[in-house]
mmCIF file of all heavy atoms in Angstrom:
data_model
loop_
_atom_site.group_PDB
_atom_site.id
_atom_site.type_symbol
_atom_site.label_atom_id
_atom_site.label_comp_id
_atom_site.label_asym_id
_atom_site.label_seq_id
_atom_site.Cartn_x
_atom_site.Cartn_y
_atom_site.Cartn_z
ATOM 1 N N THR A 19 61.532 61.038 -23.019
ATOM 2 C CA THR A 19 62.598 60.978 -21.994
ATOM 3 C C THR A 19 63.036 59.573 -21.660
ATOM 4 O O THR A 19 64.040 59.365 -20.979
ATOM 5 C CB THR A 19 62.144 61.659 -20.694
ATOM 6 O OG1 THR A 19 61.102 60.852 -20.095
ATOM 7 C CG2 THR A 19 61.618 63.072 -20.959
ATOM 8 N N GLY A 20 62.291 58.568 -22.090
ATOM 9 C CA GLY A 20 62.580 57.180 -21.692
ATOM 10 C C GLY A 20 61.922 56.774 -20.393
ATOM 11 O O GLY A 20 61.898 55.587 -20.059
ATOM 12 N N HIS A 21 61.389 57.751 -19.664
ATOM 13 C CA HIS A 21 60.737 57.428 -18.390
ATOM 14 C C HIS A 21 59.372 56.784 -18.608
ATOM 15 O O HIS A 21 58.708 57.007 -19.606
ATOM 16 C CB HIS A 21 60.523 58.700 -17.559
ATOM 17 C CG HIS A 21 61.752 59.246 -16.896
ATOM 18 N ND1 HIS A 21 62.353 58.577 -15.857
ATOM 19 C CD2 HIS A 21 62.471 60.345 -17.125
ATOM 20 C CE1 HIS A 21 63.421 59.278 -15.452
ATOM 21 N NE2 HIS A 21 63.521 60.344 -16.219
ATOM 22 N N ALA A 22 58.952 56.027 -17.639
ATOM 23 C CA ALA A 22 57.581 55.552 -17.512
ATOM 24 C C ALA A 22 57.013 56.096 -16.184
ATOM 25 O O ALA A 22 57.749 56.144 -15.193
ATOM 26 C CB ALA A 22 57.496 54.035 -17.516
ATOM 27 N N GLU A 23 55.773 56.510 -16.210
ATOM 28 C CA GLU A 23 55.131 56.858 -14.926
ATOM 29 C C GLU A 23 55.095 55.561 -14.108
ATOM 30 O O GLU A 23 54.550 54.556 -14.573
ATOM 31 C CB GLU A 23 53.718 57.413 -15.151
ATOM 32 C CG GLU A 23 53.709 58.796 -15.746
ATOM 33 C CD GLU A 23 52.346 59.470 -15.605
ATOM 34 O OE1 GLU A 23 51.489 58.999 -14.843
ATOM 35 O OE2 GLU A 23 52.173 60.528 -16.264
ATOM 36 N N SER A 24 55.649 55.613 -12.933
ATOM 37 C CA SER A 24 55.881 54.378 -12.163
ATOM 38 C C SER A 24 55.496 54.568 -10.690
ATOM 39 O O SER A 24 55.292 55.698 -10.245
ATOM 40 C CB SER A 24 57.371 54.002 -12.245
ATOM 41 O OG SER A 24 57.810 53.905 -13.574
ATOM 42 N N VAL A 25 55.472 53.488 -9.996
ATOM 43 C CA VAL A 25 55.214 53.508 -8.558
ATOM 44 C C VAL A 25 56.239 52.616 -7.852
ATOM 45 O O VAL A 25 56.397 51.459 -8.185
ATOM 46 C CB VAL A 25 53.766 53.029 -8.223
ATOM 47 C CG1 VAL A 25 53.563 52.987 -6.697
ATOM 48 C CG2 VAL A 25 52.745 53.958 -8.853
ATOM 49 N N GLN A 26 56.931 53.230 -6.912
ATOM 50 C CA GLN A 26 57.888 52.467 -6.094
ATOM 51 C C GLN A 26 57.160 52.005 -4.835
ATOM 52 O O GLN A 26 56.674 52.800 -4.041
ATOM 53 C CB GLN A 26 59.088 53.330 -5.695
ATOM 54 C CG GLN A 26 60.136 52.578 -4.932
ATOM 55 C CD GLN A 26 61.247 53.487 -4.429
ATOM 56 O OE1 GLN A 26 61.006 54.389 -3.624
ATOM 57 N NE2 GLN A 26 62.477 53.252 -4.918
ATOM 58 N N VAL A 27 57.093 50.691 -4.696
ATOM 59 C CA VAL A 27 56.374 50.061 -3.568
ATOM 60 C C VAL A 27 57.391 49.550 -2.569
ATOM 61 O O VAL A 27 58.282 48.755 -2.908
ATOM 62 C CB VAL A 27 55.471 48.915 -4.060
ATOM 63 C CG1 VAL A 27 54.792 48.248 -2.880
ATOM 64 C CG2 VAL A 27 54.452 49.458 -5.064
ATOM 65 N N THR A 28 57.267 50.026 -1.325
ATOM 66 C CA THR A 28 58.052 49.500 -0.221
ATOM 67 C C THR A 28 57.158 48.563 0.554
ATOM 68 O O THR A 28 56.036 48.954 0.956
ATOM 69 C CB THR A 28 58.558 50.628 0.691
ATOM 70 O OG1 THR A 28 59.345 51.532 -0.087
ATOM 71 C CG2 THR A 28 59.416 50.067 1.816
ATOM 72 N N PHE A 29 57.575 47.319 0.767
ATOM 73 C CA PHE A 29 56.693 46.347 1.376
ATOM 74 C C PHE A 29 57.467 45.455 2.348
ATOM 75 O O PHE A 29 58.712 45.377 2.315
ATOM 76 C CB PHE A 29 56.005 45.485 0.307
ATOM 77 C CG PHE A 29 56.958 44.697 -0.553
ATOM 78 C CD1 PHE A 29 57.160 43.319 -0.340
ATOM 79 C CD2 PHE A 29 57.641 45.272 -1.617
ATOM 80 C CE1 PHE A 29 58.014 42.572 -1.139
ATOM 81 C CE2 PHE A 29 58.479 44.528 -2.429
ATOM 82 C CZ PHE A 29 58.692 43.193 -2.181
ATOM 83 N N ASP A 30 56.695 44.803 3.213
ATOM 84 C CA ASP A 30 57.259 43.834 4.170
ATOM 85 C C ASP A 30 57.086 42.432 3.573
ATOM 86 O O ASP A 30 55.959 41.925 3.523
ATOM 87 C CB ASP A 30 56.519 43.959 5.503
ATOM 88 C CG ASP A 30 57.072 43.013 6.560
ATOM 89 O OD1 ASP A 30 57.839 42.081 6.236
ATOM 90 O OD2 ASP A 30 56.731 43.199 7.752
ATOM 91 N N PRO A 31 58.170 41.805 3.099
ATOM 92 C CA PRO A 31 58.023 40.513 2.456
ATOM 93 C C PRO A 31 57.574 39.385 3.384
ATOM 94 O O PRO A 31 57.203 38.309 2.905
ATOM 95 C CB PRO A 31 59.425 40.234 1.893
ATOM 96 C CG PRO A 31 60.331 41.077 2.718
ATOM 97 C CD PRO A 31 59.561 42.304 3.085
ATOM 98 N N SER A 32 57.580 39.648 4.692
ATOM 99 C CA SER A 32 57.046 38.650 5.599
ATOM 100 C C SER A 32 55.515 38.717 5.631
ATOM 101 O O SER A 32 54.861 37.791 6.126
ATOM 102 C CB SER A 32 57.594 38.857 7.032
ATOM 103 O OG SER A 32 57.057 40.053 7.603
ATOM 104 N N GLN A 33 54.942 39.796 5.083
ATOM 105 C CA GLN A 33 53.479 39.963 5.036
ATOM 106 C C GLN A 33 52.904 39.799 3.623
ATOM 107 O O GLN A 33 51.805 39.239 3.447
ATOM 108 C CB GLN A 33 53.074 41.337 5.564
ATOM 109 C CG GLN A 33 53.418 41.562 7.022
ATOM 110 C CD GLN A 33 52.897 42.897 7.506
ATOM 111 O OE1 GLN A 33 51.772 43.277 7.213
ATOM 112 N NE2 GLN A 33 53.719 43.624 8.248
ATOM 113 N N VAL A 34 53.640 40.268 2.647
ATOM 114 C CA VAL A 34 53.193 40.148 1.272
ATOM 115 C C VAL A 34 54.445 39.952 0.390
ATOM 116 O O VAL A 34 55.422 40.684 0.542
ATOM 117 C CB VAL A 34 52.377 41.374 0.800
ATOM 118 C CG1 VAL A 34 53.182 42.654 0.851
ATOM 119 C CG2 VAL A 34 51.782 41.145 -0.579
ATOM 120 N N SER A 35 54.402 38.970 -0.484
ATOM 121 C CA SER A 35 55.603 38.649 -1.280
ATOM 122 C C SER A 35 55.637 39.464 -2.551
ATOM 123 O O SER A 35 54.612 40.013 -3.002
ATOM 124 C CB SER A 35 55.604 37.174 -1.624
ATOM 125 O OG SER A 35 54.588 36.875 -2.567
ATOM 126 N N TYR A 36 56.787 39.536 -3.180
ATOM 127 C CA TYR A 36 56.913 40.193 -4.486
ATOM 128 C C TYR A 36 56.028 39.493 -5.520
ATOM 129 O O TYR A 36 55.368 40.156 -6.349
ATOM 130 C CB TYR A 36 58.383 40.179 -4.935
ATOM 131 C CG TYR A 36 58.594 40.784 -6.298
ATOM 132 C CD1 TYR A 36 58.331 42.130 -6.542
ATOM 133 C CD2 TYR A 36 59.070 39.998 -7.367
ATOM 134 C CE1 TYR A 36 58.523 42.671 -7.796
ATOM 135 C CE2 TYR A 36 59.290 40.562 -8.618
ATOM 136 C CZ TYR A 36 59.001 41.884 -8.839
ATOM 137 O OH TYR A 36 59.209 42.445 -10.086
ATOM 138 N N GLY A 37 55.970 38.180 -5.467
ATOM 139 C CA GLY A 37 55.118 37.472 -6.416
ATOM 140 C C GLY A 37 53.638 37.837 -6.246
ATOM 141 O O GLY A 37 52.927 37.984 -7.235
ATOM 142 N N THR A 38 53.201 38.010 -5.013
ATOM 143 C CA THR A 38 51.815 38.413 -4.787
ATOM 144 C C THR A 38 51.566 39.832 -5.308
ATOM 145 O O THR A 38 50.508 40.096 -5.879
ATOM 146 C CB THR A 38 51.466 38.320 -3.294
ATOM 147 O OG1 THR A 38 51.609 36.979 -2.861
ATOM 148 C CG2 THR A 38 50.043 38.789 -3.026
ATOM 149 N N LEU A 39 52.532 40.715 -5.127
ATOM 150 C CA LEU A 39 52.411 42.060 -5.694
ATOM 151 C C LEU A 39 52.300 41.997 -7.232
ATOM 152 O O LEU A 39 51.532 42.768 -7.836
ATOM 153 C CB LEU A 39 53.557 42.951 -5.252
ATOM 154 C CG LEU A 39 53.641 43.262 -3.761
ATOM 155 C CD1 LEU A 39 54.888 44.120 -3.481
ATOM 156 C CD2 LEU A 39 52.392 43.954 -3.253
ATOM 157 N N LEU A 40 53.064 41.125 -7.840
ATOM 158 C CA LEU A 40 52.957 40.939 -9.287
ATOM 159 C C LEU A 40 51.562 40.456 -9.665
ATOM 160 O O LEU A 40 50.979 40.908 -10.660
ATOM 161 C CB LEU A 40 53.985 39.922 -9.777
ATOM 162 C CG LEU A 40 55.436 40.353 -9.846
ATOM 163 C CD1 LEU A 40 56.331 39.175 -10.223
ATOM 164 C CD2 LEU A 40 55.650 41.494 -10.841
ATOM 165 N N GLN A 41 51.010 39.543 -8.903
ATOM 166 C CA GLN A 41 49.663 39.047 -9.182
ATOM 167 C C GLN A 41 48.640 40.181 -9.133
ATOM 168 O O GLN A 41 47.775 40.289 -9.974
ATOM 169 C CB GLN A 41 49.336 37.951 -8.171
ATOM 170 C CG GLN A 41 48.035 37.208 -8.455
ATOM 171 C CD GLN A 41 47.735 36.120 -7.414
ATOM 172 O OE1 GLN A 41 48.417 36.029 -6.374
ATOM 173 N NE2 GLN A 41 46.731 35.320 -7.666
ATOM 174 N N VAL A 42 48.750 41.029 -8.118
ATOM 175 C CA VAL A 42 47.871 42.209 -7.997
ATOM 176 C C VAL A 42 48.051 43.153 -9.195
ATOM 177 O O VAL A 42 47.101 43.636 -9.788
ATOM 178 C CB VAL A 42 48.129 42.939 -6.672
ATOM 179 C CG1 VAL A 42 47.441 44.317 -6.658
ATOM 180 C CG2 VAL A 42 47.692 42.099 -5.485
ATOM 181 N N PHE A 43 49.316 43.392 -9.545
ATOM 182 C CA PHE A 43 49.654 44.312 -10.645
ATOM 183 C C PHE A 43 49.023 43.844 -11.957
ATOM 184 O O PHE A 43 48.375 44.625 -12.651
ATOM 185 C CB PHE A 43 51.169 44.361 -10.768
ATOM 186 C CG PHE A 43 51.675 45.199 -11.912
ATOM 187 C CD1 PHE A 43 51.470 46.595 -11.928
ATOM 188 C CD2 PHE A 43 52.386 44.606 -12.938
ATOM 189 C CE1 PHE A 43 51.964 47.344 -12.968
ATOM 190 C CE2 PHE A 43 52.888 45.381 -13.991
ATOM 191 C CZ PHE A 43 52.666 46.761 -13.998
ATOM 192 N N PHE A 44 49.172 42.561 -12.270
ATOM 193 C CA PHE A 44 48.646 42.051 -13.535
ATOM 194 C C PHE A 44 47.141 41.852 -13.508
ATOM 195 O O PHE A 44 46.483 41.902 -14.551
ATOM 196 C CB PHE A 44 49.354 40.738 -13.928
ATOM 197 C CG PHE A 44 50.734 40.917 -14.451
ATOM 198 C CD1 PHE A 44 51.845 40.616 -13.684
ATOM 199 C CD2 PHE A 44 50.947 41.432 -15.730
ATOM 200 C CE1 PHE A 44 53.130 40.766 -14.175
ATOM 201 C CE2 PHE A 44 52.216 41.618 -16.221
ATOM 202 C CZ PHE A 44 53.325 41.285 -15.451
ATOM 203 N N SER A 45 46.583 41.605 -12.338
ATOM 204 C CA SER A 45 45.181 41.298 -12.242
ATOM 205 C C SER A 45 44.286 42.538 -12.193
ATOM 206 O O SER A 45 43.287 42.617 -12.917
ATOM 207 C CB SER A 45 44.903 40.437 -10.974
ATOM 208 O OG SER A 45 43.525 40.179 -10.841
ATOM 209 N N VAL A 46 44.625 43.493 -11.337
ATOM 210 C CA VAL A 46 43.694 44.625 -11.123
ATOM 211 C C VAL A 46 44.292 46.009 -11.353
ATOM 212 O O VAL A 46 43.548 46.966 -11.495
ATOM 213 C CB VAL A 46 43.080 44.578 -9.685
ATOM 214 C CG1 VAL A 46 42.389 43.251 -9.429
ATOM 215 C CG2 VAL A 46 44.153 44.817 -8.605
ATOM 216 N N ALA A 47 45.619 46.142 -11.371
ATOM 217 C CA ALA A 47 46.215 47.483 -11.421
ATOM 218 C C ALA A 47 46.299 48.036 -12.837
ATOM 219 O O ALA A 47 46.349 49.253 -13.014
ATOM 220 C CB ALA A 47 47.603 47.490 -10.784
ATOM 221 N N HIS A 48 46.342 47.153 -13.850
ATOM 222 C CA HIS A 48 46.462 47.648 -15.219
ATOM 223 C C HIS A 48 46.217 46.494 -16.204
ATOM 224 O O HIS A 48 46.029 45.363 -15.786
ATOM 225 C CB HIS A 48 47.855 48.266 -15.462
ATOM 226 C CG HIS A 48 48.934 47.303 -15.852
ATOM 227 N ND1 HIS A 48 49.213 46.140 -15.138
ATOM 228 C CD2 HIS A 48 49.820 47.303 -16.874
ATOM 229 C CE1 HIS A 48 50.200 45.499 -15.719
ATOM 230 N NE2 HIS A 48 50.579 46.166 -16.784
ATOM 231 N N ASP A 49 46.201 46.828 -17.504
ATOM 232 C CA ASP A 49 46.043 45.836 -18.538
ATOM 233 C C ASP A 49 47.391 45.628 -19.223
ATOM 234 O O ASP A 49 47.861 46.495 -19.976
ATOM 235 C CB ASP A 49 45.002 46.327 -19.559
ATOM 236 C CG ASP A 49 44.787 45.353 -20.722
ATOM 237 O OD1 ASP A 49 45.503 44.334 -20.768
ATOM 238 O OD2 ASP A 49 43.912 45.640 -21.549
ATOM 239 N N PRO A 50 48.037 44.476 -19.023
ATOM 240 C CA PRO A 50 49.374 44.270 -19.557
ATOM 241 C C PRO A 50 49.415 43.935 -21.056
ATOM 242 O O PRO A 50 50.489 43.669 -21.583
ATOM 243 C CB PRO A 50 49.888 43.079 -18.716
ATOM 244 C CG PRO A 50 48.665 42.305 -18.429
ATOM 245 C CD PRO A 50 47.582 43.326 -18.220
ATOM 246 N N THR A 51 48.283 43.969 -21.715
ATOM 247 C CA THR A 51 48.265 43.707 -23.163
ATOM 248 C C THR A 51 48.239 44.978 -23.991
ATOM 249 O O THR A 51 48.305 44.919 -25.208
ATOM 250 C CB THR A 51 47.069 42.836 -23.556
ATOM 251 O OG1 THR A 51 45.842 43.592 -23.414
ATOM 252 C CG2 THR A 51 46.983 41.577 -22.713
ATOM 253 N N GLN A 52 48.172 46.147 -23.343
ATOM 254 C CA GLN A 52 48.140 47.409 -24.077
ATOM 255 C C GLN A 52 49.554 47.925 -24.268
ATOM 256 O O GLN A 52 50.268 48.174 -23.307
ATOM 257 C CB GLN A 52 47.281 48.442 -23.332
ATOM 258 C CG GLN A 52 45.817 48.078 -23.294
ATOM 259 C CD GLN A 52 44.948 49.245 -22.845
ATOM 260 O OE1 GLN A 52 45.301 50.406 -22.976
ATOM 261 N NE2 GLN A 52 43.796 48.924 -22.278
ATOM 262 N N LEU A 53 49.956 48.104 -25.497
ATOM 263 C CA LEU A 53 51.322 48.521 -25.837
ATOM 264 C C LEU A 53 51.454 50.032 -25.832
ATOM 265 O O LEU A 53 50.771 50.716 -26.597
ATOM 266 C CB LEU A 53 51.740 47.965 -27.187
ATOM 267 C CG LEU A 53 53.136 48.318 -27.676
ATOM 268 C CD1 LEU A 53 54.211 47.741 -26.740
ATOM 269 C CD2 LEU A 53 53.355 47.809 -29.101
ATOM 270 N N ASN A 54 52.298 50.539 -24.966
ATOM 271 C CA ASN A 54 52.578 51.971 -24.892
ATOM 272 C C ASN A 54 51.309 52.817 -24.735
ATOM 273 O O ASN A 54 51.201 53.892 -25.314
ATOM 274 C CB ASN A 54 53.377 52.446 -26.096
ATOM 275 C CG ASN A 54 54.773 51.861 -26.137
ATOM 276 O OD1 ASN A 54 55.343 51.522 -25.105
ATOM 277 N ND2 ASN A 54 55.327 51.711 -27.319
ATOM 278 N N ARG A 55 50.405 52.305 -23.963
ATOM 279 C CA ARG A 55 49.181 53.057 -23.624
ATOM 280 C C ARG A 55 48.518 52.360 -22.454
ATOM 281 O O ARG A 55 48.836 51.191 -22.126
ATOM 282 C CB ARG A 55 48.243 53.145 -24.810
ATOM 283 C CG ARG A 55 47.524 51.843 -25.191
ATOM 284 C CD ARG A 55 46.424 52.091 -26.207
ATOM 285 N NE ARG A 55 45.453 53.051 -25.706
ATOM 286 C CZ ARG A 55 45.189 54.219 -26.309
ATOM 287 N NH1 ARG A 55 45.789 54.538 -27.426
ATOM 288 N NH2 ARG A 55 44.284 55.032 -25.791
ATOM 289 N N GLN A 56 47.581 53.025 -21.854
ATOM 290 C CA GLN A 56 46.737 52.463 -20.826
ATOM 291 C C GLN A 56 45.471 53.299 -20.779
ATOM 292 O O GLN A 56 45.494 54.462 -20.409
ATOM 293 C CB GLN A 56 47.453 52.434 -19.472
ATOM 294 C CG GLN A 56 46.859 51.463 -18.480
ATOM 295 C CD GLN A 56 47.071 49.994 -18.852
ATOM 296 O OE1 GLN A 56 46.332 49.125 -18.421
ATOM 297 N NE2 GLN A 56 48.083 49.677 -19.649
ATOM 298 N N GLY A 57 44.360 52.678 -21.205
ATOM 299 C CA GLY A 57 43.102 53.405 -21.231
ATOM 300 C C GLY A 57 43.201 54.632 -22.123
ATOM 301 O O GLY A 57 43.607 54.552 -23.271
ATOM 302 N N PRO A 58 42.882 55.811 -21.575
ATOM 303 C CA PRO A 58 42.886 57.033 -22.402
ATOM 304 C C PRO A 58 44.265 57.635 -22.624
ATOM 305 O O PRO A 58 44.410 58.598 -23.352
ATOM 306 C CB PRO A 58 42.030 58.005 -21.582
ATOM 307 C CG PRO A 58 42.245 57.569 -20.172
ATOM 308 C CD PRO A 58 42.376 56.061 -20.222
ATOM 309 N N ASP A 59 45.306 57.058 -21.996
ATOM 310 C CA ASP A 59 46.644 57.639 -22.064
ATOM 311 C C ASP A 59 47.515 56.840 -23.047
ATOM 312 O O ASP A 59 47.581 55.607 -22.973
ATOM 313 C CB ASP A 59 47.281 57.603 -20.685
ATOM 314 C CG ASP A 59 46.431 58.295 -19.640
ATOM 315 O OD1 ASP A 59 45.909 59.382 -19.951
ATOM 316 O OD2 ASP A 59 46.289 57.771 -18.511
ATOM 317 N N SER A 60 48.231 57.550 -23.925
ATOM 318 C CA SER A 60 49.071 56.869 -24.876
ATOM 319 C C SER A 60 50.451 57.499 -24.876
ATOM 320 O O SER A 60 50.610 58.687 -24.617
ATOM 321 C CB SER A 60 48.457 56.928 -26.271
ATOM 322 O OG SER A 60 48.322 58.264 -26.726
ATOM 323 N N GLY A 61 51.439 56.702 -25.209
ATOM 324 C CA GLY A 61 52.834 57.146 -25.232
ATOM 325 C C GLY A 61 53.670 56.163 -24.429
ATOM 326 O O GLY A 61 53.183 55.436 -23.560
ATOM 327 N N THR A 62 54.976 56.176 -24.692
ATOM 328 C CA THR A 62 55.868 55.247 -24.001
ATOM 329 C C THR A 62 55.923 55.502 -22.513
ATOM 330 O O THR A 62 56.269 54.593 -21.742
ATOM 331 C CB THR A 62 57.282 55.324 -24.587
ATOM 332 O OG1 THR A 62 57.787 56.662 -24.462
ATOM 333 C CG2 THR A 62 57.293 54.941 -26.059
ATOM 334 N N GLN A 63 55.567 56.716 -22.076
ATOM 335 C CA GLN A 63 55.573 57.014 -20.637
ATOM 336 C C GLN A 63 54.454 56.258 -19.913
ATOM 337 O O GLN A 63 54.434 56.239 -18.689
ATOM 338 C CB GLN A 63 55.476 58.518 -20.392
ATOM 339 C CG GLN A 63 54.143 59.172 -20.755
ATOM 340 C CD GLN A 63 54.064 59.632 -22.200
ATOM 341 O OE1 GLN A 63 54.674 59.037 -23.085
ATOM 342 N NE2 GLN A 63 53.355 60.714 -22.431
#
């Protein structure tokens, strides 16, 4: 379908910046070196 399983984050930029959310995303939320997969899940979604 072209979709990716995603999460829409609503945040207060006076408390946490977009850049900080990126840091969290790349550091602990997933592995950005895995192409079209993540752990046991595979596919472009």
Side-chain angles (χ1 to χ4, degrees):
T19 68
H21 284 291
E23 289 196 12
S24 307
V25 176
Q26 183 186 63
V27 178
T28 302
F29 62 101
D30 182 346
S32 70
Q33 297 184 43
V34 62
S35 70
Y36 177 63
T38 298
L39 294 179
L40 286 175
Q41 188 180 8
V42 169
F43 176 66
F44 284 106
S45 177
V46 303
H48 85 309
D49 178 356
T51 68
Q52 292 193 25
L53 180 63
N54 293 333
R55 71 170 303 120
Q56 200 68 204
D59 305 317
S60 63
T62 58
Q63 69 272 31

